[in-house]
């Protein structure tokens, strides 16, 4: 059964010119890109998106980073999309990521790790709705 998930190409990867290469990896893995835009968000918008992490020690640096430049939010679709995207992304810390994963290829550090992906259907639904109105999705 086809499933939707949400992803963001983060400011570090956009700044370094990796957007097209990351999109190519995603498409090569069989994902259909249902929604895509390049935007910048404010710190307040980043705080709203990452509200689930508000009590964590990295919250301030994460939201500062995510509002530091352009991002590319994506809605992706395929069978088993959430699990498959997480596997394709690799470990949060690129030093621990498997060879061939997006983070191994394009991430610089645990914070500047190139890509975000939803971890569950409920998270994906919230995250898609945070960045995309229904009419924007193909």
């Amino acid at each position: 059964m086809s499933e939707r998930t949400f992803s963001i190409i983060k400011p570090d990867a956009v700044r370094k010119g990796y957007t097209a290469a990351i999109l190519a990896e995603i498409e090569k893995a069989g994902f259909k890109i249902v929604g895509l835009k390049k935007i910048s968000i404010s710190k307040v918008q980043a705080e709203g998106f990452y509200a689930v992490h508000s009590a964590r020690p990295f919250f301030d640096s994460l939201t500062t980073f995510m509002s530091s430049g352009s991002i590319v939010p994506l809605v992706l679709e395929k069978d088993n999309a959430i699990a498959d995207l997480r596997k394709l992304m690799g470990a949060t810390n690129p030093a621990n990521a498997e060879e061939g994963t997006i983070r191994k290829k394009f991430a610089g550090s645990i914070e500047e790790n190139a890509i975000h992906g939803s971890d569950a259907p409920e998270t994906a639904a919230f995250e898609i709705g945070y960045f995309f109105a229904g009419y924007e999705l193909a």
Side-chain angles (χ1 to χ4, degrees):
M1 186 183 127
S2 196
E3 177 180 62
R4 284 189 174 175
T5 192
F6 177 80
S7 184
I8 297 175
I9 300 174
K10 294 183 176 183
D12 57 311
V14 174
R15 252 192 302 278
K16 292 173 185 169
Y18 295 152
T19 303
I22 291 172
L23 289 171
E25 295 282 333
I26 289 168
E27 286 190 311
K28 190 172 77 182
F31 288 91
K32 177 182 172 194
I33 298 172
V34 184
L36 176 154
K37 54 175 112 174
K38 184 176 182 181
I39 61 172
S40 293
I41 58 173
S42 68
K43 184 159 169 66
V44 169
Q45 288 169 313
E47 288 169 351
F49 181 74
Y50 285 108
V52 66
H53 297 305
S54 61
R56 308 286 290 273
F58 59 80
F59 181 71
D60 184 61
S61 64
L62 173 63
T63 55
T64 298
F65 164 63
M66 288 301 291
S67 58
S68 70
S70 296
I71 60 171
V72 179
L74 304 163
V75 179
L76 306 171
E77 191 173 81
K78 77 178 281 219
D79 291 347
N80 208 32
I82 294 168
D84 286 2
L85 180 64
R86 295 192 66 78
K87 184 171 174 30
L88 178 64
M89 291 188 323
T92 304
N93 183 346
N96 301 332
E98 286 184 40
E99 286 301 325
T101 61
I102 290 172
R103 287 181 173 147
K104 192 64 160 186
K105 291 179 180 178
F106 303 108
S109 69
I110 194 164
E111 185 167 89
E112 294 194 3
N113 63 8
I115 190 167
H116 163 86
S118 301
D119 61 2
E122 312 77 50
T123 315
F126 166 78
E127 293 177 344
I128 290 168
Y130 198 86
F131 283 102
F132 290 91
Y135 68 85
E136 294 180 287
L137 304 176

